[in-house]
Amino acid sequence: MPLIVRNGHRVTVDEARTRTHGDQADAVLLDVREEPEWTAGHAPGAVHAPLTELLLGATLPAEAQGRPLVVICRSGRRSSQAARLLAERGAPAVDVEGGMNAWAAAGHPVVDERGNSGRTA
């Protein structure tokens, strides 16, 4: 199934969850927030790759290489930048409208680094 693209390469949090979780998952949820934000809370199963490192030329974590990417940050600003950068590098990438703030507001789970209930920083 091709990556859903709406609103100029953006997807809703519900589309992001469908595309990256469960039996229908065909993409990786890539969280580009910084370490303290990630540690406080992230989506279960997300892969972490801070935007600052990607901007310096870091490669994607192994779990994200060669896969469609749904990129998320706190509010959608950094994920938009990261999705453009990754697309320029040849990766199929879209960003999530509203980021982790919208993810949590929609009632989707957020966990901390120990797998306990987390928060969006």
Side-chain angles (χ1 to χ4, degrees):
M1 184 182 314
L3 197 59
I4 297 172
V5 177
R6 299 202 199 304
N7 301 327
H9 306 303
R10 302 195 96 186
V11 295
T12 67
V13 291
D14 292 333
E15 290 169 322
R17 182 159 166 80
T18 298
R19 298 310 298 249
T20 61
H21 290 82
D23 295 337
Q24 299 298 317
D26 68 344
V28 172
L29 186 64
L30 186 72
D31 192 319
V32 297
R33 295 174 301 147
E34 296 305 313
E35 187 68 33
E37 296 169 291
W38 166 264
T39 301
H42 54 271
V47 174
H48 188 220
L51 176 60
T52 53
E53 293 179 16
L54 293 173
L55 289 170
L56 293 172
T59 59
L60 288 170
E63 312 92 313
Q65 292 181 10
R67 305 265 321 270
L69 304 170
V70 177
V71 186
I72 196 164
C73 66
R74 183 175 42 104
S75 65
R77 182 182 225 175
R78 287 174 285 178
S79 60
S80 177
Q81 183 180 2
R84 281 192 308 274
L85 173 71
L86 293 165
E88 288 170 4
R89 293 182 184 175
V94 296
D95 75 298
V96 180
E97 293 178 271
M100 285 300 296
N101 289 339
W103 181 275
H108 299 312
V110 177
V111 296
D112 67 13
E113 76 275 12
R114 294 184 182 111
N116 298 318
S117 182
R119 62 181 172 76
T120 56

